[in-house]
Amino acid sequence: MQSKTEVIKIKSKEKLQFLDITQRVKDFVENSKIKNGLLNIQSKHTTATVFLNENEPLLLEDMKKNLEKVAPSSEEYRHDNLDIRTVNVCDDECVNGHSHCKALYLPSNITLNLADSKLQLGRWQSILFVELDRAREREIQMQIIGE
Amino acid sequence: MQSKTEVIKIKSKEKLQFLDITQRVKDFVENSKIKNGLLNIQSKHTTATVFLNENEPLLLEDMKKNLEKVAPSSEEYRHDNLDIRTVNVCDDECVNGHSHCKALYLPSNITLNLADSKLQLGRWQSILFVELDRAREREIQMQIIGE
Amino acid sequence: MQSKTEVIKIKSKEKLQFLDITQRVKDFVENSKIKNGLLNIQSKHTTATVFLNENEPLLLEDMKKNLEKVAPSSEEYRHDNLDIRTVNVCDDECVNGHSHCKALYLPSNITLNLADSKLQLGRWQSILFVELDRAREREIQMQIIGE
């Protein structure tokens, strides 16, 4: 059994920015020389995630709109009320209760099959990163195990 | 370490059809002779997914209703507006923006523990496929690694 | 390749109780002596799940409120109508259609990277259990494979 790991560093630019990381993931898998196994792609964050879907620009707009409906930025979240909050308060604390609530319904990790030397992605499946908060430095960690 | 893979082919019949694939998954695990490891079940599609829940017919109706609330078929999606869309347009393009938005909140893959020669499913857990688009040919790929 | 498994037993106390299991997971990983691989944390239930997010008490209240919006306890679910339901009816059957529908949008499992002898959790990522039904006895199974 072999195990390889690598981090994708992302400087996100704005709320609800989507970024296609499919090619960077494929390059990592190819360089690993592992032919059969599992690849796990894990976000290291609670307000930025990864998921599989079609990378079509108008669809990404539909998704933004839908995510805003599920956990609207315009609503009030107790997490953002610094008059009452005492836990995990940082110097650069921002209004991001909505981001955490959006993240609740998106995967923190996706696991993909690697079979016959090929990452098993379907025709329309792209690996997408989404920033749910504001412009921030992000890390997505890939780990592959197999032989 | 050993690795085995197999594809479940499904011809779905209609939008929001649920299909219980638990037995087909269990057969694959048993035939693999692998006793301890991880099983990953991955949808190869962006409008059809897999998830774990109870297979009770009335509950499946509740889930259909809830999925329709989260991303209604009746709403307009920019992905479906072929007057403005230029990317990934196919000959058989259908109105399925709602299907992609439903899929956003469901898992593309589920990973299950295989311990002591047994797929670790709880009493009420069934492995369910759901078609979020129309009648289509679908592939769910299973991969098991372990020893 | 090595494989280890362990179950976390939880006696939940009420609907929408959150429990931080991060330390119990870290202890298991450390005791396993496995340095590189994948850890899968799987709920054995259809109305209790695990997920990654920030463990901040006010945020957990925001999440409760949001989960109630996605699948309200106050709505009627066909799963709870014992006048018409015939499948999987138990002696201790409770009104929990809403719990299953909430679970539909939360992960049954999360897979985490284990690299350089360290479980790869980001600064704000806690591993949280959530009870979506009533007070019940629950099992979360961890499995690690690697070397």
Side-chain angles (χ1 to χ4, degrees):
Chain A
M1 200 207 86
Q2 280 190 289
S3 170
K4 302 268 165 122
T5 192
E6 199 175 291
V7 169
I8 297 177
K9 298 195 176 194
I10 294 168
K11 281 197 173 198
S12 70
K13 291 176 186 159
E14 57 183 0
K15 185 174 74 175
L16 289 175
Q17 179 194 357
F18 292 85
L19 196 70
D20 193 322
I21 59 172
T22 311
Q23 193 54 53
R24 289 163 85 170
V25 175
K26 281 184 176 170
D27 290 347
F28 166 67
V29 172
E30 197 176 329
N31 291 335
S32 78
K33 310 285 183 205
I34 295 175
K35 294 182 176 175
N36 293 284
L38 295 178
L39 168 71
N40 190 50
I41 306 169
Q42 182 193 332
S43 169
K44 303 288 287 285
H45 308 281
T46 53
T47 55
T49 71
V50 282
F51 65 100
L52 292 186
N53 214 311
E54 184 182 341
N55 182 6
E56 190 278 300
L58 296 178
L59 178 61
L60 300 185
E61 288 183 40
D62 291 325
M63 289 179 184
K64 283 185 196 183
K65 189 179 160 191
N66 203 286
L67 282 164
E68 270 301 305
K69 192 178 74 172
V70 164
S73 313
S74 57
E75 268 185 22
E76 285 189 13
Y77 295 85
R78 290 172 69 78
H79 182 61
D80 301 325
N81 186 342
L82 299 183
D83 291 340
I84 55 171
R85 181 168 149 205
T86 57
V87 177
N88 295 352
V89 179
C90 305
D91 287 345
D92 63 342
E93 197 60 45
C94 277
V95 169
N96 69 357
H98 75 95
S99 318
H100 286 283
C101 286
K102 287 179 175 93
L104 183 59
Y105 305 110
L106 296 178
S108 295
N109 78 281
I110 44 176
T111 307
L112 299 177
N113 298 333
L114 174 65
D116 306 322
S117 305
K118 197 169 173 300
L119 188 63
Q120 296 293 318
L121 283 173
R123 182 180 175 198
W124 299 112
Q125 288 183 314
S126 290
I127 305 166
L128 298 166
F129 161 89
V130 60
E131 174 59 68
L132 300 169
D133 197 351
R134 62 195 188 281
R136 291 180 72 166
E137 296 191 1
R138 301 301 201 174
E139 292 192 357
I140 303 298
Q141 193 190 40
M142 302 173 286
Q143 183 143 351
I144 191 168
I145 63 171
E147 57 190 3
Chain B
M1 200 208 86
Q2 280 191 291
S3 170
K4 301 267 166 126
T5 191
E6 200 174 289
V7 169
I8 297 177
K9 298 195 176 193
I10 294 169
K11 281 197 174 200
S12 70
K13 290 175 187 160
E14 57 183 1
K15 186 174 74 173
L16 289 175
Q17 180 194 357
F18 292 85
L19 196 70
D20 193 322
I21 59 171
T22 311
Q23 194 53 53
R24 289 164 84 170
V25 174
K26 281 183 175 169
D27 290 346
F28 166 67
V29 171
E30 198 176 328
N31 291 336
S32 78
K33 310 286 182 205
I34 295 174
K35 294 180 175 175
N36 292 284
L38 295 178
L39 168 71
N40 191 51
I41 307 168
Q42 182 193 332
S43 168
K44 303 288 286 286
H45 307 282
T46 53
T47 55
T49 71
V50 283
F51 64 100
L52 293 186
N53 215 310
E54 184 181 343
N55 182 7
E56 190 278 299
L58 296 178
L59 178 61
L60 300 185
E61 288 184 41
D62 291 325
M63 290 179 182
K64 282 184 197 185
K65 189 179 159 190
N66 203 286
L67 282 164
E68 270 301 305
K69 192 178 74 172
V70 164
S73 312
S74 58
E75 268 185 23
E76 283 189 14
Y77 295 84
R78 290 172 68 79
H79 182 60
D80 300 326
N81 185 343
L82 298 184
D83 292 341
I84 54 171
R85 181 168 149 205
T86 57
V87 178
N88 294 352
V89 180
C90 304
D91 287 345
D92 64 341
E93 198 60 44
C94 277
V95 169
N96 70 356
H98 75 95
S99 319
H100 286 283
C101 285
K102 288 178 174 94
L104 183 59
Y105 306 109
L106 297 178
S108 295
N109 77 282
I110 45 177
T111 307
L112 299 177
N113 298 334
L114 174 65
D116 306 322
S117 305
K118 199 169 174 297
L119 188 64
Q120 296 293 318
L121 282 174
R123 182 180 176 198
W124 299 113
Q125 288 184 314
S126 289
I127 306 166
L128 297 166
F129 162 89
V130 60
E131 174 59 68
L132 300 169
D133 197 351
R134 63 195 187 281
R136 291 179 71 166
E137 296 192 2
R138 301 301 201 173
E139 292 191 359
I140 303 298
Q141 193 189 38
M142 302 173 286
Q143 181 143 354
I144 191 169
I145 63 171
E147 56 189 4
Chain C
M1 200 208 86
Q2 280 191 289
S3 169
K4 302 267 166 123
T5 191
E6 199 175 290
V7 169
I8 298 176
K9 297 195 176 194
I10 295 168
K11 281 196 174 201
S12 70
K13 290 176 187 158
E14 57 183 0
K15 185 174 75 175
L16 289 175
Q17 180 195 357
F18 292 85
L19 196 70
D20 193 322
I21 59 171
T22 311
Q23 193 54 51
R24 291 164 83 170
V25 175
K26 280 183 177 171
D27 290 346
F28 166 67
V29 172
E30 197 176 330
N31 291 336
S32 77
K33 310 286 183 204
I34 295 174
K35 295 181 174 175
N36 292 285
L38 295 178
L39 168 71
N40 190 50
I41 307 168
Q42 183 193 333
S43 169
K44 301 289 286 286
H45 308 282
T46 53
T47 55
T49 70
V50 283
F51 64 99
L52 293 186
N53 215 310
E54 184 182 342
N55 182 6
E56 190 278 300
L58 296 178
L59 178 61
L60 300 185
E61 288 184 41
D62 291 325
M63 289 178 185
K64 283 184 196 184
K65 189 178 159 191
N66 203 286
L67 281 165
E68 269 301 306
K69 192 178 73 171
V70 164
S73 312
S74 58
E75 267 185 24
E76 284 189 14
Y77 296 85
R78 290 172 69 79
H79 182 61
D80 301 325
N81 186 343
L82 298 184
D83 292 341
I84 54 171
R85 180 167 149 205
T86 57
V87 178
N88 295 352
V89 180
C90 304
D91 287 346
D92 63 342
E93 198 59 46
C94 278
V95 170
N96 70 357
H98 75 93
S99 319
H100 286 284
C101 286
K102 287 178 174 95
L104 183 59
Y105 305 109
L106 297 178
S108 296
N109 78 280
I110 45 177
T111 307
L112 299 177
N113 298 333
L114 174 64
D116 306 323
S117 304
K118 198 169 175 296
L119 188 63
Q120 296 293 318
L121 283 173
R123 182 181 175 197
W124 299 112
Q125 287 183 314
S126 290
I127 305 166
L128 298 166
F129 161 88
V130 60
E131 174 59 69
L132 300 170
D133 197 351
R134 62 195 188 280
R136 291 180 71 167
E137 296 192 2
R138 302 301 202 173
E139 293 192 357
I140 303 298
Q141 192 189 38
M142 302 173 286
Q143 181 142 354
I144 191 168
I145 63 171
E147 57 188 4

